[in-house]
């Protein structure tokens, strides 16, 4: 694997024991319940006693991040990384470096020095990307993240389109000819081999999760930020806006490429941020307690399901699976239209929760959360969203895609035709009991109004917005889960974002936490726009 070295040498007083720290050290850092990443220190000392330390986080694609300062005092090593607001303090004992990594909170970690065999396995480290062919009409991008540790690997699986990241891999074997792995959390496994017509960094095989599907995984070459491919918005079917706020003034830069002007789009899972807003409003106003549980609102629920908190539903830490067991997902033409409240209730009462509970992106969970708020307020989800979000923000072209509703029929002429990844037409999706997971239809202008609320809330909404954006769970060193929103950090930049996808639409919304810049992207093609959205959001100011 190609590595880009950024030399940053820190001079310290040479000590005899300093050489004991030289080497590549790696250990597993727990970043959330059931989630870990690899933290690595590459420590070098030259003959003049100069020490250099570079920090790697392979699961996050970060390599050779220079330490700000390094000190050695007898057997104690202190590494400070100012840009990450982080520090490590530890002591060496033979081949083990034990201490605490402090970044917001102190987390104990043990790092082991890699031997020569371990170093040889570094060529397999990196992100392996591929596209799972669900059927002739549906594809799902997957990314396998492999990091080397002493005598083994730590691997995780990402499904970006489903916003599922860091899925633990229990077993993995990789070599020059074959790659196999399995995850008990999602009941999946993979076996692939290097074939003559593939690169040595690609494995072609089958992904098993109930059935078997073809999947080729290829190692993505590491790139520096300056050489990463810049995406052209004009290459996408997209309606979008870049929002800036400066000197108490808003500026909106609109652009439309290959889609009808002022069209409506299915925004998919971005809906979840609006359901989370409803919950945050109740929490901020004291209408619901912060520890409110399903058993307080639903009847005939037994433990442990009755003890699921509403906040855990909104952060995907409830233990509920991604989808209800009694949902027929074979019909991707309109999978949620005929799934009703009685079926959702049956699934909830008969589900098995993940053990131990960790991060599991769950459409099931958000559907339950939405129906819980409906039951608590004795109002429909459509009414709750209209009164709390759509009407106050003048989002006059936003609504829930509920089948057979008159207001949905009235808007159907403005809803863009959706397209699959390959450009073929895709049907519109309609919802009933699963509406909280992704039923909102909206326009770019309406979503701009929504982001303005999140970026610069009025006094009446300040506490609600603060509640919805407060980090609740840590998914990695750079990513935290708020109510609905993902909070991400890169150096000094912090932003909130979410994306969505249906059969024929994709979406992305994001904004910097200083409230100065936001991006809305709505597309009528099932081609992910998240990378484009992040690029536009984090671009230097004009």
């Amino acid at each position: 694997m190609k590595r880009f070295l950024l030399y940053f040498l820190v001079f310290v007083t040479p000590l005899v024991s300093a050489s004991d720290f030289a080497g590549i050290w790696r250990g597993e850092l727990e970043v959330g319940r059931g989630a870990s990443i690899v933290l690595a220190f590459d420590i070098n000392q030259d003959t003049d006693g100069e020490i250099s330390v570079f920090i790697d986080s392979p699961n996050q694609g970060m390599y050779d991040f220079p330490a700000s300062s390094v000190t050695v005092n007898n057997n104690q090593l202190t590494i400070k990384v100012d840009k990450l607001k982080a520090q490590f303090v530890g002591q060496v004992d033979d081949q083990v470096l034990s201490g605490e990594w402090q970044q917001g909170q102190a987390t104990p970690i043990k790092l082991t020095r890699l031997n020569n065999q371990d170093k040889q396995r570094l060529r397999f480290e990196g992100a392996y990307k591929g596209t799972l062919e669900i059927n002739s009409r549906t594809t799902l991008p997957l990314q396998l993240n492999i990091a080397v540790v002493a005598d083994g690997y730590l691997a995780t699986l990402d499904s970006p389109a489903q916003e599922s990241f860091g899925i633990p891999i229990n077993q993995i074997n990789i070599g020059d000819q074959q790659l196999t792995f399995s995850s008990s959390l999602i009941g999946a496994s993979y076996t692939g081999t290097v074939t003559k017509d593939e690169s040595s960094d690609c494995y072609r095989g089958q992904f098993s999760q109930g059935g078997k599907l073809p999947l080729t995984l290829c190692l993505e070459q590491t790139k520096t930020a300056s050489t990463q491919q810049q995406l052209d918005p004009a290459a996408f079917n997209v309606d979008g806006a870049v929002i800036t706020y400066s000197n108490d003034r808003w500026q909106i830069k609109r652009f439309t490429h290959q889609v009808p002007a002022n069209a409506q789009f299915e925004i998919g899972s971005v809906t979840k941020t609006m359901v989370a807003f409803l919950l945050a409003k109740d929490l901020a106003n004291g209408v619901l307690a912060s520890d409110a549980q399903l058993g307080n609102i639903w009847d005939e629920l037994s433990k442990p399901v009755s003890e699921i908190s509403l906040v855990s539903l909104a952060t995907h830490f409830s233990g509920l699976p991604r989808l209800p067991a009694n949902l027929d997902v074979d019909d991707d033409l309109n999978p949620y239209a005929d799934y009703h409240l009685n079926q959702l209730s049956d699934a909830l009462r008969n589900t098995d929760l993940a053990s131990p509970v960790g991060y599991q992106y769950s459409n099931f969970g958000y559907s339950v959360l939405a129906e819980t708020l409906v039951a608590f307020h004795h109002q429909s989800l459509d009414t709750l969203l209209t009164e709390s979000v759509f009407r106050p923000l003048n989002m006059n072209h936003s609504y829930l895609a509920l089948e057979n509703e008159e207001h949905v029929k009235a808007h159907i002429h403005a809803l863009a035709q959706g397209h699959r990844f390959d450009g073929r037409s895709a049907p519109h999706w309609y919802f009933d009991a699963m509406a909280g997971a992704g039923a909102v239809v909206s326009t770019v202008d309406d979503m701009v109004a929504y982001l303005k609320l999140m970026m610069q809330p009025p006094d009446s909404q300040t506490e609600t917005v603060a509640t919805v954006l407060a980090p609740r769970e840590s998914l990695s060193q750079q990513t935290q889960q708020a109510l609905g929103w993902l909070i991400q950090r890169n150096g000094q930049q912090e932003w909130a974002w979410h994306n969505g996808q249906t059969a024929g639409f994709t979406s992305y919304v994001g904004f910097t936490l200083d409230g100065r810049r936001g991006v809305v992207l709505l597309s009528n093609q099932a081609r992910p726009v998240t990378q484009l959205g992040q690029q536009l959001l984090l671009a230097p100011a004009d």
Side-chain angles (χ1 to χ4, degrees):
M1 166 172 274
K2 189 174 181 181
R3 297 167 66 87
F4 298 87
L5 295 181
L6 305 175
Y7 291 99
F8 191 106
L9 302 181
V10 180
F11 295 90
V12 299
T13 302
L15 297 174
V16 175
S17 60
S19 61
D20 293 337
F21 293 101
I24 299 176
W25 301 81
R26 295 198 164 200
E28 295 186 26
L29 182 71
E30 184 176 342
V31 295
R33 288 180 289 178
S36 298
I37 61 172
V38 170
L39 179 66
F41 301 143
D42 189 351
I43 304 175
N44 297 280
Q45 182 187 27
D46 64 21
T47 56
D48 294 326
E50 300 173 359
I51 296 178
S52 62
V53 177
F54 303 98
I55 299 163
D56 298 344
S57 180
N59 299 102
Q60 299 173 303
M62 183 187 82
Y63 290 91
D64 302 299
F65 199 100
S68 305
S69 65
V70 183
T71 57
V72 175
N73 185 5
N74 294 326
N75 200 36
Q76 181 171 289
L77 173 70
T78 301
I79 302 171
K80 293 185 178 181
V81 194
D82 293 341
K83 288 187 177 181
L84 299 180
K85 298 180 181 179
Q87 174 180 279
F88 171 81
V89 179
Q91 295 182 328
V92 67
D93 183 8
D94 194 16
Q95 302 303 311
V96 177
L97 182 59
S98 302
E100 284 189 336
W101 176 259
Q102 300 177 31
Q103 191 174 23
Q105 62 182 17
T107 304
I109 183 173
K110 289 186 177 181
L111 302 97
T112 303
R113 186 165 15 210
L114 300 189
N115 59 31
N116 289 332
Q117 290 182 333
D118 295 327
K119 293 176 184 177
Q120 291 176 5
R121 292 187 293 107
L122 287 171
R123 69 185 188 277
F124 297 119
E125 183 169 276
Y128 292 75
K129 293 187 175 183
T131 300
L132 194 63
E133 300 176 4
I134 305 299
N135 52 45
S136 61
R137 300 182 296 271
T138 307
T139 59
L140 185 67
L142 294 178
Q143 178 173 313
L144 177 69
N145 308 296
I146 299 179
V148 172
V149 292
D151 300 323
Y153 300 95
L154 178 69
T156 58
L157 186 67
D158 296 341
S159 178
Q162 298 174 306
E163 296 134 37
S164 294
F165 300 92
I167 299 169
I169 298 298
N170 306 104
Q171 175 273 333
I172 181 167
N173 288 297
I174 185 170
D176 292 321
Q177 299 300 319
Q178 188 177 56
L179 166 65
T180 64
F181 67 83
S182 63
S183 171
S184 60
L185 179 63
I186 59 174
S189 62
Y190 174 80
T191 299
T193 57
V194 174
T195 56
K196 292 182 179 180
D197 58 338
E198 296 286 356
S199 159
S200 60
D201 290 333
C202 290
Y203 298 85
R204 178 181 293 180
Q206 289 188 320
F207 184 85
S208 301
Q209 192 180 27
K212 293 184 176 181
L213 297 171
L215 176 64
T216 297
L217 291 169
C218 294
L219 177 64
E220 182 183 51
Q221 296 301 312
T222 303
K223 299 178 181 180
T224 62
S226 61
T227 61
Q228 287 181 349
Q229 179 184 8
Q230 294 295 298
L231 301 178
D232 182 2
F236 292 78
N237 292 13
V238 67
D239 197 5
V242 175
I243 312 160
T244 56
Y245 183 79
S246 179
N247 298 321
D248 297 326
R249 295 183 59 184
W250 292 101
Q251 288 188 333
I252 312 299
K253 182 180 179 181
R254 291 281 276 108
F255 51 89
T256 301
H257 300 292
Q258 306 174 76
V259 297
N262 302 315
Q264 296 173 347
F265 300 80
E266 297 172 2
I267 68 171
S269 288
V270 176
T271 299
K272 293 179 174 70
T273 68
M274 299 177 181
V275 174
F277 184 86
L278 297 178
L279 174 61
K281 180 181 177 182
D282 285 344
L283 295 176
N285 294 335
V287 176
L288 280 170
S290 60
D291 59 352
Q293 299 177 344
L294 290 182
N296 303 138
I297 300 170
W298 289 71
D299 296 327
E300 300 178 4
L301 290 182
S302 58
K303 295 180 179 180
V305 174
S306 63
E307 297 176 329
I308 293 175
S309 72
L310 273 58
V311 167
S312 71
L313 291 169
T315 58
H316 303 290
F317 272 81
S318 67
L320 290 177
R322 186 174 70 87
L323 294 170
N326 59 355
L327 173 67
D328 180 9
V329 293
D330 292 332
D331 177 21
D332 73 328
L333 297 179
N334 206 358
Y336 300 117
D338 294 324
Y339 192 80
H340 306 299
L341 181 58
N342 64 317
Q343 294 166 289
L344 184 71
S345 300
D346 288 343
L348 183 62
R349 293 187 174 97
N350 293 287
T351 194
D352 292 323
L353 301 184
S355 180
V357 172
Y359 177 79
Q360 169 66 16
Y361 186 84
S362 180
N363 287 328
F364 186 10
Y366 257 86
S367 302
V368 169
L369 175 59
E371 290 298 335
T372 302
L373 296 174
V374 165
F376 180 76
H377 287 282
H378 303 288
Q379 292 180 303
S380 69
L381 182 60
D382 194 13
T383 298
L384 291 174
L385 286 174
T386 298
E387 293 185 353
S388 294
V389 181
F390 300 153
R391 186 177 297 146
L393 299 177
N394 293 317
M395 296 172 64
N396 299 321
H397 303 286
S398 300
Y399 57 92
L400 287 178
L402 305 174
E403 198 164 28
N404 299 320
E405 293 287 332
E406 290 302 319
H407 70 278
V408 175
K409 295 177 182 178
H411 283 283
I412 193 65
H413 66 280
L415 180 58
Q417 172 62 56
H419 298 86
R420 300 190 184 280
F421 185 88
D422 59 8
R424 290 181 297 159
S425 295
H428 294 130
W429 277 7
Y430 296 94
F431 296 78
D432 187 35
M434 296 285 287
V440 169
V441 172
S442 191
T443 65
V444 169
D445 290 337
D446 278 8
M447 293 304 295
V448 166
Y450 178 57
L451 278 202
K452 283 183 176 180
L453 169 68
M454 305 305 298
M455 294 168 65
Q456 298 288 338
D459 291 342
S460 61
Q461 299 283 14
T462 299
E463 191 170 353
T464 296
V465 172
T467 301
V468 81
L469 294 178
R472 307 278 176 160
E473 299 285 353
S474 183
L475 305 184
S476 72
Q477 287 295 110
Q478 295 174 303
T479 307
Q480 294 176 301
Q481 179 71 61
L483 299 181
W485 295 92
L486 286 166
I487 308 297
Q488 199 155 348
R489 179 180 64 242
N490 184 11
Q492 298 300 313
Q493 293 178 304
E494 287 187 298
W495 65 98
W497 68 280
H498 210 291
N499 60 10
Q501 181 170 340
T502 61
F505 296 82
T506 53
S507 59
Y508 171 89
V509 293
F511 57 95
T512 57
L513 292 186
D514 62 7
R516 298 294 180 178
R517 189 176 179 92
V519 170
V520 174
L521 294 178
L522 304 181
S523 174
N524 66 335
Q525 184 179 16
R527 177 186 178 188
V529 292
T530 299
Q531 183 180 347
L532 174 62
Q534 306 282 53
Q535 173 185 306
L536 293 173
L537 180 63
L538 304 179
D542 297 333

